[in-house]
Structures are given as structure tokens and as C-alpha cells.
Amino acid sequence: MKILSIQSSVAYGHVGNSAAVFPLQRIGVEVLPVYTVHFSNHTGYGAWRGPLLAPEDVREVITGIEERGVLGEIDAVLSGYQGGEGIGDVILDAVARVKAANPEAVYSCDPVMGNAKSGCFVAPAIPVLLRDRVVPAANIIAPNQFELGFLTRTEPRTLEETLASADLARAMGPRTVLVTSVERPDRAEDTIEMMAVNDEGAWLVTTPYLPLKANGSGDVTAALFTAHYLRSGSAAEALAATTSSVFDLLTTTWESGQRELQLVESQEYYAHPRLQFEVRRVR
């Protein structure tokens, strides 16, 4: 399997491609990483150095890959945080080029905008770009509950409302929706849930809630789910494997006392998921 991953890169820590590439490689996926920024560290520190790459430069890298004749071998395009509108155009163009070379290829988009606690933390034009142009071109999307609400102009809270919002998102274009954080009011205390919805049904998994802010964990989640789903064809199996790996990554990070994801230290959890959580069919 080959995945073209168009995301940010940091030298210190793990977000964007610096979070997604190694777990994918550890499960045997060939990754072609294309960087949209190359920063010293993620922006959550409040200070960073390094360049935001111009859309034309990102496009040049993708054109160079195309000139090697390998776009037909790519099974999926993966994208996450988009720093500017121009990068969105480059990603959509790359998706079109890959699908022209391989009609079976899919586009998996993590529509990063914000969360319920912080609100939107991207440029004002980005959520609209994602909703109106990027998400309709995707086959798989991985929003959190807050992002799902923005995309569908809803405010999902209950399980039924979240399912309905996922169906609205699927009507926009993507047939598979991974809701990476379902925080319904009637869930068990100190838990959080993740849900996958596709044409075959909907599945929910519940894990303990870990009180840490783990930058990059969403990037790992979207990457692993995409790869497992493409391999198995089963949203339930992909949800089970991804949840297991990410939970153990977060537990290892929490126990370390470190701010950054313990990505390398957790590598066996990607290669051999423990599958310790029950995945329940909810529709």
C-alpha cells in the first residue's frame, strides 16, 4: 500500500506528517510525505521557527512525484491541517491527479478546524473551504464532533444527533465518516467514544478518558484508520485497531509525563494492536 500524505512537518515533536508517517510505516505502508510547512515545533508552544511553504512549492513536489510515474501506484491521498486556502487547492489538484492515474484511489481528509473547548483555531476562510470544496471531494473524513457540527451546520450532542450529522456529512460526498471524539452527555463518566459510519452501518467504541492535551494524536488516528480501512474493507475492524493503538499511544505518553507524543516508544502498539475495546454496532 502507498499513501501520499500532504501535511505539516516539525523537527521537534510529532504533528502532521511527523506524527502520521512513522505509525504507517510501522504497519507496512509506503508513505510519500509532502510537507506544507517545516517548523521547528508545533504552534501550540506559542513560538516556532521555520518556513510555511508556498503552495507553488508544494505543487512542484507533487509534480516531481508525478514525473516519476508513481501516481498510479498510490492507494490513498491523506491530508490534515491546512494552513491556507492555497494549500487546499494544491491538495484537491493532487487528489484529481492521483485519481486520474488510479481510479480506485481514495482521498482521506482530516478536516482540522478546532474543538469544542477552544473553538476554531484556523484562519477564518479554512472551515468554509473545507465544508464547501474539500470535504465534498473526499471519500473518508475524520472530524471530531465539533468539526462535524460545523461541516453539517448542526450541533450534535446525543448519539442519535451525531449519527444524523454523520449522515448529512456523507450526503456531501464522503461515504465514510470517522467521528474521532463523541462526547454525548449520557456516556459513562470519564470515558470518550469514537464512531465510524459508512454505507454498511455505524459502530461505536468507548475508552477511558485520559486528561492530556496530545497534539498530533488526531493525525495518528486519521492515518491509521485510513490504512486499516483500506486493507480490511471493514469500518468496524479499522475502528477497533485504530482505537487500540491510539489509546496505548496516549497512555504511554500520559505515563511518561512528557508533552510530546511518545510515538517511537509506542511502536509495538501500531504493529500489534491489543484490540482491548469492544466495538458495538449502533445502527
Side-chain angles (χ1 to χ4, degrees), residues 93-113:
D93 180 61
V95 170
R97 293 198 217 180
V98 168
K99 288 192 172 188
N102 176 14
E104 299 301 313
V106 304
Y107 172 33
S108 180
C109 170
D110 180 4
V112 178
M113 304 178 205

Side-chain angles (χ1 to χ4, degrees), residues 9 11 46-47 53 107 132 135 180 187 192 198 206 222-223 238 260 263-264 278-279:
S9 171
L53 299 181
Y107 172 33
D132 294 349
V135 165
T180 58
R187 72 189 188 279
I192 192 166
N198 67 5
T206 304
E260 295 292 343
L263 199 75
V264 175
E278 177 190 6
V279 174

